[in-house]
Amino acid sequence: RMSRGLGDVYKRQRRCSMRIVAIDSSGLVASVAILENDSILATYSVNYKKTHSQTLLPMLQEIMQMTEFDKTTIDAIAVAKGPGSFTGLRIGSATAKGLGLALGKPIIEVPTVDALAYQLYGMSLICPMMDARRQQVYTGLYGFSSIEQGTEFQVIEPQCATGVEEIIKKINERGQQVVYLGDGATVYETLIKEQTKVPYVFVPANCNRQSAAALAVLAKSYYERGEYVTAAEHRPDYLRLSQAERERMEKMQK
């Protein structure tokens, strides 16, 4: 969380119009979006063969040109802080950090799995899954509950790296219908169907991958609570060691 002094500086910069640029390159999808108040001005997502280092900045530049957006009016940059692809997270973080440093704007760090779940507004039990290889997924359990003022996003089980069978066991214990999404749900679809004992559905392709638009909307609530850091402070959260680091440790233990 940002220190009080820096927080006061950024609060003085706020205007009636809140503008957030969001970046998510945590998986195969490269996604950017611009949020103004409660409206998504533009969103651009690509799920193709090019690397995020080739796509992110051109995508940002294009949506800013299309919307005649003045980047100096940005209040904050939101980024998927992890988990996810190690390379993808580094590229997204470097892009966000570069923008933040150049413009003097804070970074809103949003947990990747939380943002993935946030696309399914109103569902009572949501299980996002990102393929983490080695029979593991980055996952968690989420839902939306009714409150006096409307609907509240709940983190039931915080994001973690775990086995598919372990998260399915927790779902079965809860005994309520679940919605699966994410590339991990696609990879492990057969196992999920075999072991899930409660009613379940898989979401369609239009909301089955990371979305910077969903990340931007969730980031807005973080920003309003003062939960952001300076660009210099920002670091991605990988949740676990990279394959190269694991292999190096395994060699050292032999």
Side-chain angles (χ1 to χ4, degrees), residues 58-186:
M59 289 164 62
L60 269 174
Q61 289 168 354
E62 186 164 344
I63 63 173
M64 285 182 180
Q65 288 173 358
M66 291 288 289
T67 57
E68 299 179 343
F69 189 84
D70 179 359
K71 61 178 178 290
T72 64
T73 65
I74 294 169
D75 288 286
I77 298 103
V79 65
K81 75 169 184 178
S85 155
F86 286 78
T87 302
L89 288 175
R90 282 193 288 268
I91 293 168
S93 288
T95 304
K97 186 185 282 281
L99 276 174
L101 289 171
L103 301 172
K105 302 298 180 180
I107 306 292
I108 309 169
E109 302 174 320
V110 180
T112 306
V113 184
D114 293 31
L116 186 56
Y118 198 76
Q119 295 182 83
L120 303 185
Y121 190 86
M123 296 291 103
S124 57
L125 187 61
I126 306 162
C127 181
M129 289 185 180
M130 297 172 62
D131 185 18
R133 310 289 175 87
R134 296 191 171 194
Q135 293 292 306
Q136 284 202 325
V137 287
Y138 298 122
T139 187
L141 292 178
Y142 303 85
F144 287 86
S145 61
S146 297
I147 57 174
E148 220 174 284
Q149 294 81 13
T151 304
E152 184 177 58
F153 181 59
Q154 288 188 317
V155 179
I156 300 166
E157 291 279 346
Q159 64 176 22
C160 61
T162 189
V164 181
E165 294 181 357
E166 281 76 8
I167 194 67
I168 294 175
K169 182 180 177 183
K170 290 183 178 181
I171 290 167
N172 289 335
E173 288 171 353
R174 294 189 66 83
Q176 62 186 119
Q177 179 171 322
V178 63
V179 183
Y180 289 110
L181 76 156
D183 59 7
T186 302

Side-chain angles (χ1 to χ4, degrees), residues 17-38:
S17 177
M18 181 187 296
R19 290 184 158 191
I20 295 172
V21 167
I23 299 167
D24 193 331
S25 58
S26 58
L28 294 175
V29 175
S31 186
V32 296
I34 298 173
L35 175 92
E36 183 175 71
N37 296 326
D38 295 320

Side-chain angles (χ1 to χ4, degrees), residues 144-238:
F144 287 86
S145 61
S146 297
I147 57 174
E148 220 174 284
Q149 294 81 13
T151 304
E152 184 177 58
F153 181 59
Q154 288 188 317
V155 179
I156 300 166
E157 291 279 346
Q159 64 176 22
C160 61
T162 189
V164 181
E165 294 181 357
E166 281 76 8
I167 194 67
I168 294 175
K169 182 180 177 183
K170 290 183 178 181
I171 290 167
N172 289 335
E173 288 171 353
R174 294 189 66 83
Q176 62 186 119
Q177 179 171 322
V178 63
V179 183
Y180 289 110
L181 76 156
D183 59 7
T186 302
V187 171
Y188 299 107
E189 182 176 350
T190 301
L191 180 61
I192 290 169
K193 287 179 175 178
E194 289 173 352
Q195 298 202 5
T196 304
K197 306 303 181 186
V198 297
Y200 64 87
V201 292
F202 292 93
V203 302
N206 62 298
C207 52
N208 194 35
R209 294 293 187 271
Q210 288 86 342
S211 163
L215 187 141
V217 177
L218 184 54
K220 180 173 177 281
S221 63
Y222 279 60
Y223 186 73
E224 290 171 339
R225 295 195 299 266
E227 296 180 11
Y228 42 77
V229 298
T230 64
E233 291 171 325
H234 169 64
R235 298 288 185 279
D237 181 7
Y238 300 111

